[in-house]
Amino acid sequence: MVKRFLSLEWKQFSRASYFQKGIAIKILLFFAAAYFSAIAIFFGIGIFFILKKAMPNTDPMVMVNNFLIYWLLFDLVIRFFMQQLPVMNIKPLMTIPIKRETVIHYLLGKTAISFFNFLPLFIFLPFTIVLLVQGYPVVNVLCWFVSVMTLTFCNNFINFLINKNNAYFYSIVSVLAIFIGLEVYQIFKISEPIGVAFNTLFNQPYLVLIPMLLLVALYRINFNDIKKGFYLDGAISKKVETVSTSDLSWLDRFGSIAVFLKNDLRLIWRNARPKQVLMMSFLFLFYGLIFYTQEAYQKMPAFLAFASMFVTGGFLMTFGQLVPSWDSEYYKLLMSQNIPYRKYLESKWYLMVVAVTISFVLSTPYLYFGWKIFGMIAAGALFNIGLNSFITLFGGALNRVPIELNVKAKAFSNTNGFNPTQMLIALPKLGLPMLLFYIPYKLVNFEVGIMVLALSGVLGIVFKNFFLSKIENLYQKGKYKTVAAFAEKN
């Protein structure tokens, strides 16, 4: 039966219109996984010798056990934000004689085939081999390794629970918040007894049964949680919600594009995926803290220009790059209306301009770092409005991957709506501001570099109609291909 499930999923993937794009994404993800795996292997080999050199009077094994809890917590946080949980179209399977237990076991089994489960293997397996070479007891080391990998899979099923059930999420977050508070305010160092527990786990190999029993319990809890809702009437019944309306009449001042702006604001307010992107774009405001607080970057002004563009370009880089995929669920209806394509594109441009402006206002605390830095942020905002917005809309003409608006996917890892072409389009968005600033900076001075970057944005605004006309022609040429691609869901 597992073979049959795998065959059905492969047919669904290979027969889709996005097959080639999906293959390209998988290849890119494979190279990224290979890169991080190599880093993990080198880290796993070197950590023993690094600790031995740094603290020669302390057993590296004891040090690793003392800090193992931090690794597991970090692993859980990364999983929550980045691990894409497996999905399966179960409605057709409910009408044929296949046991519910079989489908649920297969779905939970798919969670095991995740990069996040294999990454600890690349760290702890080399570390385990080093321990054995250094003469540590074989049984103790092997049982410790099995315990750590078992706890990794426990994290996998904990993540499954907190993503599917808000009660589990708030319970675990509350417990972690209490532990962190006790640790930070030195009321009780929770990490110390946990470190002792992991060292005991190493010294007493038979205790490997505890993580195994915990894994079985978590698997069973997940199994029962899924089984509760695994009914045909539960799957096909629609959840009725009261939709709150808001007065958006103030947008009428924008004339004929007001209807599109209202539609976009409602889309963001009422759907899960746009809300995620909006929250993620807010985090871009803090991007400058990575660069402006480091003395090393002060000697590399080109990277400061890069950071300044990101500070105000969060919404443009996240929401804007997925135009027109946001409208994929009703794109056919939208294109059948008697409305100019130009108005549709202009509304998206105004939406990005407003977002950049708001981000610039919110970035005023960066005045703390001086007028030069804030001037660079202002120049970056003008570049985003005048050039970056048009480059983003141009990339949208090549984006024909639909988006499911209410899929609560990971904002940092979800490839729904992703197109490899976007990576190529991203190159001028990232490199152009650095180039526009660096050349005049190198030839003249810092202030001239800022002026040229800002002037490029002003020129883009002046030639707004020219750029929009060119982009409109691209959208018009690919209109029917886009409609056909959006008609087929991922």
Side-chain angles (χ1 to χ4, degrees), residues 312 352-362 381 385:
T312 58
M352 289 187 280
V353 168
V354 170
V356 171
T357 305
I358 293 173
S359 297
F360 175 67
V361 173
L362 294 176
I385 293 173

Side-chain angles (χ1 to χ4, degrees), residues 245-264:
T245 58
S246 53
D247 184 16
L248 298 176
S249 58
W250 55 275
L251 288 171
D252 291 338
R253 69 188 67 182
F254 288 97
S256 56
I257 67 170
V259 63
F260 298 109
L261 293 173
K262 292 178 182 179
N263 188 54
D264 284 329

Side-chain angles (χ1 to χ4, degrees), residues 40 43 64-79 115-124 144 148-149 151-153 155 198:
F43 179 77
V64 169
N65 282 328
N66 288 341
F67 288 95
L68 195 56
I69 182 61
Y70 296 108
W71 161 260
L72 292 173
L73 290 176
F74 175 75
D75 177 62
L76 183 60
V77 170
I78 292 297
R79 285 174 185 272
F115 173 72
F116 295 95
N117 292 329
F118 288 103
L119 184 61
L121 180 67
F122 295 127
I123 296 175
F124 292 108
W144 177 85
V148 172
M149 294 309 300
L151 289 171
T152 296
F153 279 95
N155 264 359
F198 280 119

Side-chain angles (χ1 to χ4, degrees), residues 34 48 59 70 72 83 88 105 141 154 165 200 246 253-254 293-294 377 380 399 405 425 452:
F48 179 90
D59 186 354
Y70 296 108
L72 292 173
Q83 185 178 6
M88 186 176 181
H105 282 308
V141 171
C154 288
N165 193 314
T200 305
S246 53
R253 69 188 67 182
F254 288 97
T293 57
Q294 301 295 322
I377 292 175
N399 182 20
L405 296 174
I425 298 298
V452 170

Side-chain angles (χ1 to χ4, degrees), residues 399-411:
N399 182 20
R400 299 191 179 101
V401 183
I403 286 179
E404 295 180 32
L405 296 174
N406 272 310
V407 174
K408 293 183 179 179
K410 306 300 178 190

Side-chain angles (χ1 to χ4, degrees), residues 40-53:
I41 291 171
F42 284 113
F43 179 77
I45 294 172
I47 187 64
F48 179 90
F49 303 103
I50 293 171
L51 291 175
K52 190 73 174 177
K53 185 177 181 181

